[in-house]
Amino acid sequence: MANTIQVKNPATGEFIDEVNIQTDAEIKKAVQRGHEAFQKWSKTNAHERSRLMRAWSDKVKENKEELAKLMTLENGKPLNESRGEIDYSTDYLDWYAEEAKRIYGRTIPSHTDSKRLIVTREPIGLVAAITPWNFPTAMMARKAAPALAAGCTFIVKPAPETPLSGMKFIDYAYEVGIPRDVIQYVIGEGSVVGEIFTGSEFVRKITFTGSTAVGKLLIKNSSNNIQHATMELGGHAPLIIAEDADIELAAQQAIATKFRNAGQTCVCANRIIVHEKVMEPFIEKFVAGVKKLTVGNGLEEGTDIGPIINEKGYTKIVKQIEDAIGKGAEVLVGNQVNANPEKGYFFVYPTVLKNVKTDMTIMHEETFGPVAPITSFKKIEEAVELANGTPYGLAAYFFTNDYRTGVYLHEHLKFGIIGWNDGGPSAAHVPFGGMKESGLGREGGIEGIEPYLETKYMSIGGL
Ligand code: NAP
């Protein structure tokens, strides 16, 4: 087995850097160090933890441009999106630096004069994280920030496609004085590191962002040591456009949510479900907007859509397009690629498909690419049935100016995140996470720190 990871630029296939794969013994040692460091970090007072986290955030902000370039180099996303991801990452550090100071306990009125009932909150212990390539720093920040704020120590395995920006992000924490064993990264193959994490009695919580298949395996293995688990898994977001929607807004927001990161996000719209009466005006505006998107190297000014991360992702997207066309979908724009397997780059041009039906793979399998399948509905109940008809329940979007339709959709859609007339509902201070097979637990907001805390109840008697 190779003992290094070769990191490549997905826009050109060119080599960027290599990272050493650690041995099992080294990874286990790092886990042990994380556990030992917990004894001191958990006793460091909340204001000091908060100060260090803000200093870390400031350091990242100072180096935003350098970090953004590195992210675009290894991930391919347009530079502006990388800058946005770094802002989003520091938002988590800033938000949870404040939350560190607000971890409250409570006293419960006693049922007898001779007792006092007290509840305190404690950090859970060492937290182990596994993160994906599509948001190399944000997925780390969303986990590390509440962990450190709560008083937990943290160890993360970044995705092999994009380890560099995540490692650099954590290096800035060391530069401001966060002790090395309080937050660590380890490099190794997912299945190997996953087994070490779930097999360790020192790891009290496992937190993962990635595919549902790997999430299920980690949940199963977390039972070995009864570890707590937070899982941010796959999605298949519906985007419903009602008869009375503001079509201009719907088209513009649909483009934003569909094509961000070349469609390689877990919350990106994967099924556009349009009322038949507004299909024509919607398509006209949507397609006109899609035609303006520029495909290219994310480092070049004006690029809207970068490369697909790798050949596996590319093949999956192309197969979904072919399957849909083979079953009767109409191509309104796109269905064009620029791929060079020898050099190692894969671009898919933004593609819009009409007359998409539920028997097509694209309607139930995640695409993770810049393809927008459009289907129609007559009654809102039909749209809901279609929207809820996959095992996923991460994000859903709808566009309507009728409050009755809006309330109905809000109450009937089985999704953890909903955007009403909004294609970008995510933020550090709100809960993010999915229902059904899209995950367990929430990250972000006040909900996001809860999974890093244990509740301890004490009854004082004999008074
Ligand atoms: P993936 O295969 O699940 O990989 C994600 C991470 O898991 C990588 O670090 C990978 O490392 C590791 N991994 C793979 N097999 C593992 C195993 N057996 N045990 C432990 N770790 C393992 O997912 P992906 O296809 O790269 O990423 C895209 C997926 O992530 C999509 O399904 C997307 O919906 C989901 N996602 C979800 C969210 C969310 O918040 N809900 C956000 C972003 C992405 P190795 O490659 O080294 O094995």
Side-chain angles (χ1 to χ4, degrees), residues 119 177 196 217 235 240 307 337:
V119 177
I196 294 175
L217 184 75
I240 299 171
V337 298

Side-chain angles (χ1 to χ4, degrees), residues 131 133-134 142 157 190 208-211 232-234 266 366 368:
T131 52
W133 48 265
N134 60 348
R142 198 149 83 179
K157 185 209 90 69
F208 171 70
T209 297
S211 61
E232 298 287 2
L233 309 176
C266 51
E366 261 188 304
F368 248 58

Side-chain angles (χ1 to χ4, degrees), residues 130-135 139 142 157-161 188-195 208-212 214 217-218 232-235 265-266 312 366 368 394 432 438 443:
I130 297 180
T131 52
W133 48 265
N134 60 348
F135 290 95
M139 296 303 103
R142 198 149 83 179
K157 185 209 90 69
E161 295 84 353
E189 204 180 306
S191 56
V192 173
V193 180
E195 282 196 13
F208 171 70
T209 297
S211 61
T212 296
V214 173
L217 184 75
L218 289 170
E232 298 287 2
L233 309 176
T265 84
C266 51
K312 188 170 152 229
E366 261 188 304
F368 248 58
L394 187 56
F432 185 106
S438 286
E443 295 185 322

Side-chain angles (χ1 to χ4, degrees), residues 146-211:
L148 265 53
C152 297
T153 48
F154 186 81
I155 185 163
V156 59
K157 185 209 90 69
E161 295 84 353
T162 59
L164 304 175
S165 42
M167 288 160 68
K168 188 106 197 138
F169 181 67
I170 291 180
D171 287 342
Y172 292 130
Y174 303 144
E175 283 186 31
V176 301
I178 296 182
R180 282 193 172 259
D181 295 343
V182 165
I183 178 162
Q184 302 177 78
Y185 46 79
V186 290
I187 304 295
E189 204 180 306
S191 56
V192 173
V193 180
E195 282 196 13
I196 294 175
F197 284 170
T198 52
S200 169
E201 59 184 308
F202 297 142
V203 172
R204 295 315 313 138
K205 177 179 173 64
I206 181 103
T207 172
F208 171 70
T209 297
S211 61

